Amino acid sequence: MNSFVFAIEEINRSAHLLPNVTLGFSIRNSGDSVHGALHETMSFLTRQQEPIPNYTCQHGSLQAALVGDTRSSLSVSMARLLGLYKFPQVSYSSTLPSLSDKIQFPSFLRTLTSDLTSSLAVTQLIIHFQWSWVIILAHDDDFGQQASSLATQKLSTAGVCIEFTSHVTSHESLEKIEEIVQKMQKSTARVVLVFLSNSNFQPILYGLMDVPVSGQVWVSKGALHMALALNIPGVSQVLHSTFALLYHSSRAIGFPEFLAHLRPSQTPEDMFVKKFWEFTFDCTWPHQSSTVTEGVQLCSGNESLKNKQYPFAEVSKIDAAYTAVYSIAYALQDMITHGHQHGKVTDSQDFQPWQLLQALRKVHFKTPDGSEIIFDANGDLVTKFDILQGQKTPEGIFHLVHIGMIDPQVSLGSKMKFHLMEDLHVPSSVCSESCLPGFSQVPRLGAPHCCFDCSPCPEGQFADQRDMKSCLLCPREQYSSHMRDHCLPRTEIFLAFEEPLGFMLALVALFLAGLAVLVLGVFLKYRDSPVVRANNRSLSYLLLLSLCLCALCALLFLGQPSVLTCLLRQTTFAVVFTVAVSSVLAKTLTVVLAFRVTRPGDRIRVCLSPGASTSVVLIASFMQVVLCGVWLATSPPFPDRDMVSEPQHIVIQCQEGSGTIFFCVLGYLGFLAVGTFSVAFLARGLPDVFNETKFLTFSMLLFCSVWTAFLPLYHSARGKSTVAVEIFSILASTAGLLGGIFIPKCYIILLKPRRKTAAWLRQGHRAQQERQSEMLQRRCVPRSTPQIFMTYSSGKSPGPPL
């Protein structure tokens, strides 16, 4: 009210604003009731103590506008009545959102924003400070329901979770207050959004003072709750961290001095000054009580408001009533100026209320400190919000600190613009701690989405930001880092000659190939010895040559795969091993068939010729060559990039092309090997001077064992390990055939030369005949002992008997 009077006096003294007009005012008391507000409004319009609608019986100064009322419920009734006459009404305290409806209230304006805008600003403050876990306390009336519903909607849209919402009535029971206090005591949310008046909020604060509740952050759209911390001892312990929004105010030059010189005797007709005096100085006027109670201070009227600390810490600020008076004054001036420019007879004593209403809606001026005053389309003042934080000084004094500003008119997308001080420390309020990069949120079952656990990203995925809902897949050419917070480029790898494993395998392959060549040299040098001549030395030469190629074909699996090496790898391996196994099969069949020849001229004797053994090798190898040719013609192997086997690398390997033909090639080789082993196993007991059948059986047993173990190892290995397993199997089977068949013969040739003599051979021949006789006797079949000789087409003398 004091600012209202100060504004009128300041305008009347101004030489620029309404220079030829003197503003007057009358103060009316609505009695804080709808009936009183309507009665005083009608009395003001009709100039009658007992008003008669639509009838004015007195004339006097022109009535320009009405400023008020303080409560929204009273302003609604007044606005409905004044709207019928298009009479301007400017409120400085009513914030009900429905008053922005210009259809219901066409003549209503206010020098502050609606609860809708202020509630949105409070929710934006929570969102801006990244508080994701809050409590809402709201009054159980239209405003509280609407504000809490709006806040819940906006906060939920922004990802903020509400732990619980409590609505408090005007006269709440003690049990309900205790229930709210207990819920807050058990709550994990630190931020409390308050839509309560002081009278409803005060019982809750008293309840919280008696329980160990700490760390709560209180957020409201006004500084009234901070006033409780200033005036009630001990409440500041609960409200030690409070944020509030106030309408941004300009500085009113001279207002502190006006208050300092204010005396009730200057305006005896002002009924509110004496009440204001009693409240400020905590005194009583003498005439209000016939007897003076001991200890009660009497008001003299000479008390000074100068240097009064509370509640006038911000007395130089312009309040809403001050702005309302200036808005009307500037609207009057704009209306008069506009009327003169257009030749109308509009002056301060000749205008209609609706004319001033039009000018008031368009008013636009600046306060002395440069702040703009303008109304929006709904008649609400376009204003900013100051952000205040309640803090304690080192001396323990609770005070308010201006930390920033919110501008609702400047929106960044769906957010208001904030101007905050630097190095501002804001406490956090979350249900779950933030997930660091490299982790993703896993919602807790049955809990709000703000409550979650942090799960590390799996291999191949990453999270480069905090609180990611899910991890992202790395591109195919990259892999996730150890911390899973970014992706790194994958390197291409293959089993190279330069690495230790590849180098060792290459050495072993060359060693086995060299050993096969060395044995071949020994056999060629001692080609006329009985050991070499036994069981078709041509097959022995072919077998040694194929084993040398088997060892060398392992080198095709080393190094970076190319189109040529992929074509040659498996096909060369399949063909040379087929030649080797078929050579062993031919040697085994020769031994078996030789013991079935019982008389000269037998048909089976034809199969003992060198050409027959060569035919076995050629036919078996030709079938494998045909399969490999079909494979290369239809779906040949090709270089491929394996992105799956090793997460950090791209494995360059040979893709087999047609899997069906590939397994047909391996199946045929396996069938040939099993058949050879079966024949050799059945013939292992046949008499033999040099134990040929036993060595063939043992070598094929090693061969089949190696490749039987190869299958599970090959399918369980990943990346370049699969190539290493295949090379190892090739070398192991090559070593088995080479060692099982030829090392014993080289032992005899090089270390047991006496076993090559004719005497030793005759002795061995007699022992062989005795074993054959025993075998025939056990079978009870009378038959002559066959004399078996290996004959050759070269015309030389027959070899020694087997």
Side-chain angles (χ1 to χ4, degrees):
M1 186 59 63
N2 291 318
S3 61
F4 176 84
V5 176
F6 171 72
I8 292 178
E9 292 184 359
E10 189 177 50
I11 293 171
N12 289 335
R13 290 194 304 266
S14 174
H16 305 286
L17 181 60
L18 298 177
N20 299 320
V21 177
T22 300
L23 294 180
F25 65 93
S26 64
I27 300 175
R28 297 176 179 267
N29 185 6
S30 62
D32 197 24
S33 67
V34 174
H35 177 269
L38 290 176
H39 180 274
E40 292 298 330
T41 301
M42 185 59 70
S43 176
F44 172 72
L45 292 176
T46 61
R47 304 172 186 267
Q48 304 176 58
Q49 290 298 325
E50 297 297 330
I52 301 174
N54 301 325
Y55 180 75
T56 301
C57 62
Q58 296 180 12
H59 296 280
S61 299
L62 191 63
Q63 296 169 318
L66 187 147
V67 178
D69 198 332
T70 55
R71 290 181 52 194
S72 295
S73 58
L74 305 183
S75 295
V76 168
S77 301
M78 296 167 58
R80 293 188 187 279
L81 176 60
L82 295 172
L84 298 176
Y85 301 98
K86 299 295 188 294
F87 195 91
Q89 176 187 3
V90 183
S91 175
Y92 55 89
S93 182
S94 301
T95 58
L96 190 68
S98 61
L99 288 170
S100 298
D101 186 356
K102 294 301 102 180
I103 297 178
Q104 296 188 58
F105 312 102
S107 63
F108 180 84
L109 297 93
R110 51 188 163 191
T111 54
L112 69 173
T113 62
S114 69
D115 288 329
L116 181 65
T117 304
S118 58
S119 299
L120 284 175
V122 171
T123 59
Q124 289 292 319
L125 182 68
I126 291 177
I127 296 171
H128 182 80
F129 286 151
Q130 297 181 355
W131 292 323
S132 60
W133 190 231
V134 302
I135 301 170
I136 296 179
L137 297 180
H139 196 269
D140 194 12
D141 59 4
D142 292 341
F143 162 68
Q145 295 286 353
Q146 188 175 11
S148 61
S149 176
L150 176 66
T152 302
Q153 177 185 353
K154 296 298 181 180
L155 293 177
S156 299
T157 304
V160 180
C161 297
I162 312 299
E163 185 173 7
F164 66 86
T165 301
S166 292
H167 290 91
V168 183
T169 60
S170 298
H171 304 285
E172 196 62 83
S173 63
L174 183 61
E175 291 77 9
K176 182 63 180 294
I177 296 297
E178 292 179 352
E179 179 184 347
I180 295 174
V181 171
Q182 291 177 0
K183 289 177 68 176
M184 296 187 66
Q185 187 178 5
K186 298 177 182 178
S187 169
T188 58
R190 297 186 61 188
V191 172
V192 184
L193 182 55
V194 181
F195 297 108
L196 292 174
S197 62
N198 276 4
S199 59
N200 296 325
F201 190 41
Q202 197 166 342
I204 298 177
L205 288 180
Y206 281 130
L208 291 174
M209 291 171 60
D210 299 331
V211 296
V213 176
S214 61
Q216 299 287 1
V217 179
W218 305 88
V219 182
S220 64
K221 70 179 188 67
L224 295 178
H225 307 141
M226 295 185 181
L228 294 176
L230 297 173
N231 297 323
I232 302 178
V235 174
S236 61
Q237 300 298 327
V238 180
L239 297 178
H240 71 283
S241 183
T242 305
F243 291 85
L245 299 184
L246 288 180
Y247 302 111
H248 178 66
S249 299
S250 303
R251 294 285 175 178
I253 302 173
F255 187 51
E257 291 76 11
F258 172 80
L259 287 177
H261 295 88
L262 183 64
R263 296 292 184 272
S265 58
Q266 295 175 354
T267 54
E269 71 280 359
D270 190 347
M271 68 186 76
F272 298 102
V273 171
K274 291 185 177 182
K275 291 185 178 294
F276 166 74
W277 213 261
E278 288 180 341
F279 175 79
T280 303
F281 295 102
D282 192 20
C283 60
T284 304
W285 292 101
H287 65 275
Q288 292 183 354
S289 177
S290 58
T291 60
V292 179
T293 306
E294 184 178 358
V296 175
Q297 183 179 357
L298 296 178
C299 300
S300 65
N302 296 321
E303 295 86 354
S304 176
L305 292 171
K306 188 176 182 180
N307 300 325
K308 190 68 177 177
Q309 184 176 6
Y310 296 115
F312 302 106
E314 299 293 330
V315 294
S316 62
K317 292 290 187 70
I318 297 176
D319 67 1
Y322 181 95
T323 306
V325 175
Y326 262 88
S327 299
I328 296 171
Y330 272 99
L332 276 171
Q333 179 160 296
D334 291 343
M335 180 187 65
I336 296 172
T337 303
H338 180 80
H340 288 319
Q341 290 175 352
H342 291 79
K344 297 181 180 178
V345 190
T346 302
D347 56 34
S348 59
Q349 298 297 325
D350 184 18
F351 66 89
Q352 296 297 322
W354 59 265
Q355 292 176 303
L356 178 61
L357 179 61
Q358 288 183 350
L360 191 59
R361 289 174 179 173
K362 300 176 182 179
V363 72
H364 186 188
F365 64 95
K366 289 186 177 181
T367 59
D369 69 343
S371 299
E372 287 189 313
I373 302 297
I374 186 174
F375 294 98
D376 61 15
N378 296 322
D380 299 335
L381 184 68
V382 177
T383 185
K384 301 176 183 178
F385 292 96
D386 291 325
I387 306 175
L388 302 179
Q389 183 182 17
Q391 298 179 0
K392 273 191 175 183
T393 63
E395 294 78 18
I397 300 176
F398 187 85
H399 68 293
L400 308 179
V401 178
H402 183 273
I403 62 172
M405 185 183 300
I406 303 178
D407 190 351
Q409 303 302 317
V410 180
S411 299
L412 303 175
S414 58
K415 297 182 179 180
M416 299 178 181
K417 187 174 182 180
F418 283 73
H419 304 277
L420 297 173
M421 60 185 298
E422 297 181 357
D423 301 327
L424 179 64
H425 175 70
V426 179
S428 63
S429 179
V430 294
C431 180
S432 300
E433 290 299 326
S434 177
C435 291
L436 298 175
F439 293 82
S440 63
Q441 297 179 356
V442 178
R444 294 176 185 171
L445 186 63
H449 66 87
C450 298
C451 303
F452 51 82
D453 297 316
C454 296
S455 175
C457 294
E459 184 67 46
Q461 300 183 21
F462 74 101
D464 57 352
Q465 298 178 7
R466 301 173 70 96
D467 293 328
M468 293 191 66
K469 300 298 182 183
S470 61
C471 299
L472 304 177
L473 285 174
C474 286
R476 287 176 56 85
E477 303 291 334
Q478 298 179 355
Y479 70 96
S480 55
S481 64
H482 176 70
M483 300 299 294
R484 302 291 191 269
D485 55 355
H486 64 284
C487 293
L488 299 173
R490 300 169 70 174
T491 57
E492 295 182 350
I493 61 168
F494 49 85
L495 190 58
F497 289 96
E498 294 79 9
E499 58 183 291
L501 179 60
F503 181 73
M504 292 300 298
L505 292 175
L507 284 181
V508 174
L510 294 175
F511 171 76
L512 291 177
L515 185 61
V517 172
L518 182 62
V519 173
L520 180 60
V522 172
F523 269 51
L524 289 174
K525 182 177 181 180
Y526 298 97
R527 60 183 176 275
D528 293 330
S529 64
V531 177
V532 177
R533 293 174 61 195
N535 199 0
N536 199 334
R537 60 185 173 188
S538 298
L539 282 180
S540 298
Y541 297 156
L542 180 61
L543 180 57
L544 284 169
L545 183 61
S546 63
L547 290 177
C548 177
L549 294 176
C550 287
L552 291 177
C553 80
L555 299 178
L556 293 173
F557 291 83
L558 294 172
Q560 183 172 358
S562 62
V563 176
L564 180 60
T565 55
C566 287
L567 293 175
L568 294 178
R569 275 186 182 184
Q570 302 294 355
T571 54
T572 304
F573 154 74
V575 171
V576 296
F577 265 90
T578 301
V579 173
V581 174
S582 61
S583 299
V584 176
L585 176 62
K587 292 172 72 68
T588 307
L589 289 175
T590 300
V591 175
V592 173
L593 294 176
F595 279 93
R596 295 185 62 86
V597 177
T598 57
R599 59 183 180 277
D602 199 331
R603 292 181 184 179
I604 302 178
R605 195 175 184 85
V606 180
C607 299
L608 298 176
S609 62
S613 300
T614 304
S615 299
V616 172
V617 176
L618 290 177
I619 293 173
S621 301
F622 177 74
M623 294 180 65
Q624 186 69 286
V625 170
V626 171
L627 286 175
C628 292
V630 174
W631 183 12
L632 295 178
T634 56
S635 181
F638 57 91
D640 190 25
R641 293 155 60 89
D642 180 11
M643 303 283 190
V644 179
S645 299
E646 298 191 24
Q648 300 182 9
H649 303 98
I650 300 174
V651 181
I652 307 299
Q653 63 180 11
C654 288
Q655 182 59 255
E656 308 307 340
S658 174
T660 303
I661 303 180
F662 172 65
F663 285 110
C664 288
V665 169
L666 294 183
Y668 175 73
L669 180 58
F671 170 76
L672 200 62
V674 172
T676 302
F677 171 72
S678 301
V679 174
F681 182 79
L682 294 176
R684 72 188 185 284
L686 294 177
D688 186 358
V689 175
F690 300 110
N691 295 317
E692 182 81 4
T693 55
K694 292 183 177 61
F695 294 143
L696 293 175
T697 303
F698 178 69
S699 62
M700 288 308 301
L701 176 63
L702 290 178
F703 185 91
C704 294
S705 299
V706 168
W707 288 104
T708 301
F710 162 78
L711 293 176
L713 289 175
Y714 184 81
H715 286 287
S716 62
R718 291 290 180 270
K720 60 182 181 180
S721 300
T722 58
V723 180
V725 169
E726 189 167 0
I727 295 175
F728 178 81
S729 300
I730 291 174
L731 298 178
S733 57
T734 301
L737 292 176
L738 184 61
I741 298 176
F742 295 103
I743 296 301
K745 293 185 178 182
C746 290
Y747 173 78
I748 295 173
I749 293 173
L750 300 176
L751 301 178
K752 298 291 184 180
R754 69 180 185 84
R755 296 178 66 175
K756 300 184 293 182
T757 62
W760 188 86
L761 290 175
R762 284 193 295 271
Q763 181 181 356
H765 178 57
R766 284 194 298 271
Q768 176 181 325
Q769 287 179 333
E770 290 176 0
R771 288 195 300 271
Q772 288 178 338
S773 299
E774 292 176 0
M775 291 174 59
L776 293 174
Q777 289 175 3
R778 284 196 298 267
R779 296 177 183 177
C780 300
V781 178
R783 54 190 301 179
S784 59
T785 301
Q787 298 291 327
I788 303 175
F789 298 90
M790 293 299 176
T791 59
Y792 299 89
S793 59
S794 59
K796 296 183 180 180
S797 59
L802 295 176

